[in-house]
Amino acid sequence: KLHATDGTLTAADSSPFNVTAAAASKLVFTTSPTDSVAGSPLATQPQVTVEDASGTPVTTDASTVALSITSGTPTSGGPGALTNCVQSGETNGVVSFTGCEIDTAGSAYELHATDGTLTAADSSSFAVSAGAATHFSVSAPLTATAGTSFNFTVTALDASGNTATGYSGTVN
């Protein structure tokens, strides 16, 4: 109902009516991922809302939203792959995802949401850091002469092959 009054005239009410969203026209990230660890599910799983042109959620839409890593991101590290991302449902125009993970460390990743002809959306940026060290990589020359010194490098890596920058053990 609408209620009209100006303080001097007799107030009036309209008959009840419903306001419904217009046709779906765009996607908006309602929940962007937050900083996460490579090879593990994102700390905050993404949610995307289907909206009409005025920003009202379209609760009757049955969208299938696809997620990818936004082109040109991350700004350092990467590029990674977005895997295990499953659309787990849509409630009142909000599409939820579970299991999304990125395998490669990098900063300023963004996700890109698309759904057919709807205007696409990009998430806020987030970082993906290396996980805990699980194994070593050793780099040494292909040949060495007996009795002479040579250089080699031992690098601690996480399960996804990222340099585990937090490793502080002693290599023997």
Side-chain angles (χ1 to χ4, degrees):
K1 281 193 214 186
L2 293 176
H3 181 74
T5 183
D6 74 351
T8 59
L9 301 176
T10 302
D13 290 327
S14 72
S15 299
F17 60 92
N18 292 325
V19 176
T20 58
S25 68
K26 62 183 176 179
L27 301 174
V28 175
F29 272 89
T30 30
T31 304
S32 288
T34 55
D35 293 353
S36 301
V37 175
S40 298
L42 297 174
T44 303
Q45 293 293 306
Q47 289 185 316
V48 177
T49 300
V50 180
E51 294 182 348
D52 66 15
S54 65
T56 303
V58 180
T59 60
T60 57
D61 186 69
S63 286
T64 301
V65 176
L67 293 180
S68 61
I69 295 172
T70 301
S71 178
T73 73
T75 56
S76 66
L82 179 66
T83 59
N84 302 325
C85 220
V86 176
Q87 182 173 327
S88 60
E90 182 176 354
T91 305
N92 295 323
V94 179
V95 179
S96 298
F97 292 87
T98 60
C100 300
E101 62 184 67
I102 295 177
D103 62 350
T104 306
S107 60
Y109 272 102
E110 293 177 10
L111 296 185
H112 185 70
T114 58
D115 181 7
T117 60
L118 301 182
T119 301
D122 290 331
S123 72
S124 299
S125 64
F126 59 97
V128 175
S129 59
T134 60
H135 62 284
F136 292 116
S137 168
V138 179
S139 297
L142 294 175
T143 59
T145 304
T148 63
S149 63
F150 61 92
N151 294 323
F152 66 94
T153 304
V154 177
T155 305
L157 303 174
D158 70 5
S160 297
N162 298 291
T163 300
T165 57
Y167 178 76
S168 60
T170 301
V171 179
N172 296 313

